[in-house]
Amino acid sequence: MKLASLKDGRDGRLVVVSEDLAYYADAGHIVASLQAALDDWDRYEPALRLLATDLQHEAIPLERFHERDAAAPLPRAYQWADGSAYVNHVALVRQARGAEMPDSFWHDPLMYQGGSDAFLGPRDDIPLTDESWGCDLEAEVVVVTGDVQQGVSREEALKCIRLVGLTNDVSLRNLIPGELAKGFGFFQSKPASSFSPVFVTPEALGDRWRDGKLHGALEVELNGQPFGKADAGEDMTFDFGTLIAHAAKTRKLGAGTIIGSGTVSNRDSDGGPGRPVADGGLGYSCIAEVRMVETILRGQAATPFLKAGDRVCITMHDDRHHPIFGTIDQTVVAA
Amino acid sequence: MKLASLKDGRDGRLVVVSEDLAYYADAGHIVASLQAALDDWDRYEPALRLLATDLQHEAIPLERFHERDAAAPLPRAYQWADGSAYVNHVALVRQARGAEMPDSFWHDPLMYQGGSDAFLGPRDDIPLTDESWGCDLEAEVVVVTGDVQQGVSREEALKCIRLVGLTNDVSLRNLIPGELAKGFGFFQSKPASSFSPVFVTPEALGDRWRDGKLHGALEVELNGQPFGKADAGEDMTFDFGTLIAHAAKTRKLGAGTIIGSGTVSNRDSDGGPGRPVADGGLGYSCIAEVRMVETILRGQAATPFLKAGDRVCITMHDDRHHPIFGTIDQTVVAA
């Protein structure tokens, strides 16, 4: 089952979307919003599934689904907690600045609490006030949970996953060092993230969803050129069950919590820092990583951060080359 | 006007509470929840005020208000961002561990993104799984905002404040050093916070609300003994307008955002690190601070962190010795 929220007020209008993303059926007669559905999933999920089946059989009136009309599936959420599960990415950051990475990073997940009060839709512009802030994309996988009890195990946590999707976790790289030096983590350096047009239930992902990970190439384009195609199922040191259990160690998590994977990143096959797609590599899921690789290889970064007019696309295709979650397609605009 | 949410489902049931906190009137015929009221404040606020006036004149049926029946006024929120505006507190932390405090801390606010998916009510137990985590109270002032535009000035930010209240920002002190060393800020070290039984509109606070600060002694009791009575209007380096503007530097803030002051802390009149209430001082708004003072004066901390059975009360009285916001009164229980 694929769910989206059409732009309408603060919480959008919940719709069920056909598997090929061509059509939708309004779910308003079942439940008003995706958050409300997640709040009482056992009650609403069966009815939403029946609607999805009717939609697939064209047994009900269909409406054409336009990704541009979609808000983030959860236009606002009560929790957005983003991990950093591709430790390869963290190791590269450290290597670029000549810092050692503690061994604990391989068994204790990094996670930060993000702002969740107002997300961007998949086609919304990225507003940027000051290009010197160093605006970056970060292509990631996310899951949405139901209620999660405190102290949950990895295995129990996996059962709490209701939906899977993609995000562009926009970051202001040049504000990060100052904020992290203050010791309280990210705040100003993390403006609103955007999310894929639809979120998908795990079972509808088939073999793509296994071991608590989403498998497949996360395709990133920058200004129409291939930028990254790392496999989200590879080199993910901490699966989503482990990330959720980490988040729930000292407190329960409310239904509708969004947990992020952190920037997807694959090791190069030769063990090196990775090559651009144009050079036959898997490329990158954020600009910071290519800048780190450039710094390691050539002493300084060459690829600039995002500026007004730059365009970012993030998607993942199924085996028939259909986008599974639709496409995040955003342009940076001066704000 | 004073507003509360009686325990009922995930978002509570909005009620208007009389000025003396003795009675309430159900606001369900106006708007279902406090979040919904904040989402469209210009529409709902006049009707809520009329209800408050009727309540004050006993022109409508009254119900007895019991603080024990109250959830947090926002039982869950889309954003909880906590500052650290009493720089005196930060300076003491640093002094205790022999670390210098950067001068920038006096003009650039510290702020962290907190979890907001499930808050504790004012009388809810504080669940504690492991006493070695070092459970602490933190008595603070909070404001709730309407929509705040990105890049707002301090003066504009002050106009966005809808409500004022108190919080107990529960912290797990012994988990903090490890988390901050990882560089991503607090996560596991900040379990659910609790909030005062009612939140109050600024104009109803009279002279207590001025210069973007709440003025008056924030009274903290630990196991029935006076523990702190620092004045929330004193030594607050960053007022709430400045804190909101800081939060909104790179993104807008959604209606219902809760901004915290950080632990209230006053300088001692003699410039020293502060004395316990029993010794004629203003005491402390968290256990960590008395432990720091003990460390500075005697080489080691003596006051233990919270354990099962410990009881914490936080309140602020008006000039007639009535609690303005009601009383946070929580007992730690093994979880």
Side-chain angles (χ1 to χ4, degrees), chain A residues 10 35 39 76-78 108-109 113 116-117 129 147 150 180 182-183 187-188 190 246 250-251 253-254, chain B residues 10 39 76-78 108-109 113 116-117 129 147 150 180 182-183 187-188 190 246 249-251 253-254:
Chain A
R10 294 181 186 265
Q35 180 64 52
D39 283 346
R76 55 181 178 172
Y78 293 106
D108 180 29
Q113 192 89 44
S116 54
D117 55 315
T129 302
D147 288 308
Q150 191 200 318
L180 296 199
K182 288 160 67 180
F187 198 98
Q188 294 177 338
K190 292 284 185 182
H246 178 86
T250 61
R251 55 181 164 101
L253 310 178
Chain B
R10 293 182 187 265
D39 282 346
R76 54 182 179 172
Y78 293 104
D108 181 28
Q113 193 89 45
S116 55
D117 55 314
T129 302
D147 288 310
Q150 191 199 318
L180 296 200
K182 288 160 67 180
F187 198 98
Q188 294 177 339
K190 292 283 184 181
H246 179 86
K249 182 183 169 186
T250 62
R251 56 180 163 103
L253 311 179

Side-chain angles (χ1 to χ4, degrees), chain B residues 11-214:
Chain B
D11 294 301
R13 186 160 57 90
L14 181 63
V15 299
V16 174
V17 182
S18 62
E19 197 276 334
D20 61 0
L21 305 184
Y23 297 98
Y24 77 85
D26 205 305
H29 61 292
I30 299 171
V31 60
S33 69
L34 180 53
Q35 180 64 51
L38 290 160
D39 282 346
D40 206 349
W41 189 248
D42 289 345
R43 176 175 168 200
Y44 294 121
E45 190 252 6
L48 292 171
R49 270 191 198 281
L50 288 176
L51 186 61
T53 303
D54 279 349
L55 178 65
Q56 215 60 29
H57 295 322
E58 301 185 16
I60 48 171
L62 310 181
E63 305 253 19
R64 192 77 178 82
F65 179 66
H66 297 292
E67 298 184 16
R68 65 174 180 266
D69 295 334
L74 285 169
R76 54 182 179 172
Y78 293 104
Q79 179 153 248
W80 160 226
D82 197 11
S84 195
Y86 299 84
V87 180
N88 182 56
H89 165 79
V90 181
L92 276 178
V93 182
R94 297 268 170 160
Q95 191 182 340
R97 63 172 204 246
E100 248 181 85
M101 191 177 77
D103 189 56
S104 66
F105 279 28
W106 292 103
H107 50 80
D108 181 28
L110 283 170
M111 183 172 282
Y112 76 90
Q113 193 89 45
S116 55
D117 55 314
F119 292 129
L120 299 178
R123 301 294 160 85
D124 287 351
D125 290 335
I126 300 171
L128 180 59
T129 302
D130 186 339
E131 290 186 1
S132 77
W133 288 346
C135 186
D136 199 356
L137 66 114
E138 291 195 53
E140 309 187 6
V141 179
V142 297
V143 298
V144 180
T145 74
D147 288 310
V148 179
Q149 291 309 305
Q150 191 199 318
V152 77
S153 69
R154 170 188 172 270
E155 289 68 28
E156 292 164 331
L158 286 173
K159 293 180 196 149
C160 300
I161 295 174
R162 300 280 176 263
L163 298 164
V164 181
L166 307 180
T167 188
N168 178 15
D169 177 43
V170 179
S171 293
L172 301 172
R173 296 288 184 187
N174 295 338
L175 301 186
I176 290 179
E179 286 207 310
L180 296 200
K182 288 160 67 180
F184 272 31
F186 309 98
F187 198 98
Q188 294 177 339
S189 50
K190 292 283 184 181
S193 300
S194 67
F195 291 87
S196 51
V198 303
F199 283 175
V200 182
T201 49
E203 98 294 334
L205 294 165
D207 193 43
R208 295 290 186 128
W209 178 256
R210 60 182 195 274
D211 311 322
K213 302 174 185 179
L214 178 67

Side-chain angles (χ1 to χ4, degrees), chain A residues 227-304:
Chain A
F227 186 76
K229 52 176 185 176
D231 191 310
E234 297 293 319
D235 297 324
M236 191 185 188
T237 306
F238 307 108
D239 75 315
F240 279 107
T242 305
L243 292 177
I244 294 167
H246 178 86
K249 181 182 169 187
T250 61
R251 55 181 164 101
K252 63 181 180 180
L253 310 178
T257 288
I258 306 173
I259 301 280
S261 68
T263 304
V264 174
S265 177
N266 287 172
R267 261 185 220 87
D268 204 44
S269 54
D270 65 1
R275 285 164 298 157
V277 176
D279 297 346
L282 294 172
Y284 313 98
S285 304
C286 66
I287 294 173
E289 193 162 312
V290 67
R291 288 171 58 88
M292 290 182 273
V293 170
E294 289 163 351
T295 302
I296 291 167
L297 295 181
R298 296 195 282 279
Q300 64 178 35
T303 306

